[in-house]
Every structure is written in C-alpha cells, then in structure tokens.
Amino acid sequence: MSGVNKVLFYYDVVSPWSYVGYVMLRRYEKLWNLDITYKPVNLGYIMKFSGNKPPITVANKGVWMWAERERAIKFYGVTLNQPKAFPINTMHLQTFLDTLTASASKSVVEQAIETCFAAIWHDDKPCATREDVEAIVAKLDMDKSKLKEILDKSMDKPARAKMQEEAKVLVEQNGLFGMPSFEITRASDGEQAMWFGSDRFEHMAAWLGQSYKGPFANDSCPKL
C-alpha cells in the first residue's frame, strides 16, 4: 500500500524501554500510517557482540534507570513494576516470540508480545523454564496443538542458535547496540533510518513529516 511508513521494531521483553517503545508504536500506528514488523532479539547477545554493558553494571546509571522508570510510568501511562530479581534471562520468551512471529497472525503476535511484557513488568512471573513459558502464554487466542508445536520448536537448540547468529549480524551490519531499536523506511522517498531508544518519537515524527502529539498521541500533557 502506497504511503505506508514501514517499521522494523527490534525488542527484548527484558527491556522496560522496549515496552515503552512498543506502546508508543501502537499509539502512533494509525496516526503515522505505520506498517510494523516485530522482531524479537536477545539483548544479551546484542550487548555481547557490540561491547555494550547493561545500565545496572554502572552503579550511578543503575540508580538512574530505576528512578527514570518511576517517571516513565506516569509520563507514558505504562505499568513498569520493578522485578524482584533483575536482570532476567528472557531467552525462552524471545525464542517463543520469534518462532510465533514466523507463523502466526499479527493480532496473535501482538497479543503474545503484550502478554510477555506483562509477565515481566506487571506480574514478575518466572520465565526460566518451558513450564514457566507455557503458563505465561497459555491463554493466547490460538489452537492449543499449534501453540504446543511452536513451544516445542522454540525450545530447541536451533532456535537459540538462530537468535545468536541474528544478533551478531544486527550488530555488525545494522549497528545495533541496545533495545529498543527501530529501522524505518519512509514512504515519501524510500529512505531508511535507524533509531535507538523509546524517547526518540519526536525525532521520528520530524523525519517522517508527521505531527508529534505527545506520549498518548492525543496532545494531552501528562503530569509528573
């Protein structure tokens, strides 16, 4: 369809800013005529191959991150409860989402993404085992036998190997170093650009020639 701005959204549900980025994309999807493709990646591999370090490995930066989370809750209207143990290994969730994305409808994929984000940032649910993941995704709107098939495939070694290799390529060829990241193709001229971080939507709007209407996409002004 002409006039559609294409977005490739790279995310890991371990990242609170990926959650914010996802919510913001959905709020601006129709307003900016976005065609969103969701690409789950493993943030740990991205960090490893790029030489980046998690914020919590720097004492002051870790303190800042959790304080910033409190502001983000009010500013974006997103639930970001601090998990008891952090960081969390979301490998099984990410391989599940990756396997699901390859075969399920967009509505089911979005339901699964929201369910997995909520498991981490609403409910602090464990996600270390297959049983944990099964419990998280049990209520997805899809055939149970198909769900089992996707779970089986996502737990295999090739699914993890694929995630590692894709992360290496994204770092070396696309310049990724953290989450969330956005690869956008502008409809007006086909030009592509990369963006990092959940706080770059005002910049994206200027680049797309669209109106930025605040964090709720309705010109309302949140109070901090």
Side-chain angles (χ1 to χ4, degrees):
M1 179 169 48
S2 61
V4 174
N5 298 298
K6 295 184 178 180
V7 181
L8 188 54
F9 176 56
Y10 300 101
Y11 71 96
D12 189 327
V13 296
V14 75
S15 160
W17 313 118
S18 287
Y19 194 7
V20 172
Y22 171 80
V23 169
M24 289 290 286
L25 274 181
R26 297 302 309 278
R27 288 173 181 172
Y28 277 95
E29 185 173 9
K30 291 183 179 179
L31 190 63
W32 291 355
N33 201 17
L34 304 178
D35 178 14
I36 306 167
T37 298
Y38 302 102
K39 182 55 187 168
V41 297
N42 183 275
L43 180 55
Y45 285 144
I46 294 291
M47 292 279 191
K48 174 185 174 182
F49 292 128
S50 67
N52 199 357
K53 293 182 179 180
I56 61 171
T57 63
V58 180
N60 286 351
K61 200 172 183 180
V63 171
W64 174 89
M65 185 187 84
W66 293 122
E68 187 75 354
R69 175 189 60 92
E70 292 289 345
R71 287 194 288 266
I73 290 168
K74 297 177 182 178
F75 190 77
Y76 296 104
V78 177
T79 300
L80 291 172
N81 297 324
Q82 184 172 344
K84 292 183 182 67
F86 194 86
I88 299 164
N89 186 344
T90 55
M91 174 63 80
H92 289 324
L93 289 180
Q94 292 301 102
T95 55
F96 171 78
L97 289 167
D98 190 47
T99 306
L100 179 75
T101 299
S103 60
S105 68
K106 188 175 181 182
S107 63
V108 170
V109 169
E110 288 171 343
Q111 183 190 16
I113 293 171
E114 290 163 14
T115 297
C116 292
F117 271 127
I120 302 298
W121 296 104
H122 294 193
D123 306 318
D124 196 13
K125 290 183 177 179
C127 58
T129 68
R130 179 195 172 106
E131 290 72 25
D132 292 337
V133 176
E134 282 183 310
I136 289 170
V137 304
K139 294 184 179 180
L140 291 182
D141 186 19
M142 61 185 302
D143 179 78
K144 299 308 176 186
S145 62
K146 181 64 174 177
L147 179 59
K148 181 181 181 301
E149 178 185 329
I150 290 172
L151 275 164
D152 288 343
K153 188 175 180 181
S154 71
M155 295 291 159
D156 287 344
K157 287 183 180 179
R160 296 192 294 275
K162 175 176 179 285
M163 190 138 301
Q164 181 174 6
E165 182 57 33
E166 286 181 345
K168 190 172 186 291
V169 171
L170 287 171
V171 168
E172 294 177 352
Q173 297 185 14
N174 296 57
L176 265 65
F177 59 89
M179 297 293 112
S181 293
F182 310 79
E183 183 178 317
I184 304 179
T185 303
R186 189 165 56 191
S188 61
D189 57 8
E191 185 176 344
Q192 289 186 338
M194 291 291 301
W195 307 86
F196 166 74
S198 59
D199 57 350
R200 292 296 182 265
F201 278 81
E202 195 167 6
H203 296 200
M204 292 178 193
W207 187 76
L208 290 170
Q210 299 285 347
S211 297
Y212 180 71
K213 295 180 175 292
F216 294 93
N218 60 6
D219 286 323
S220 64
C221 182
K223 297 184 184 300
L224 295 179

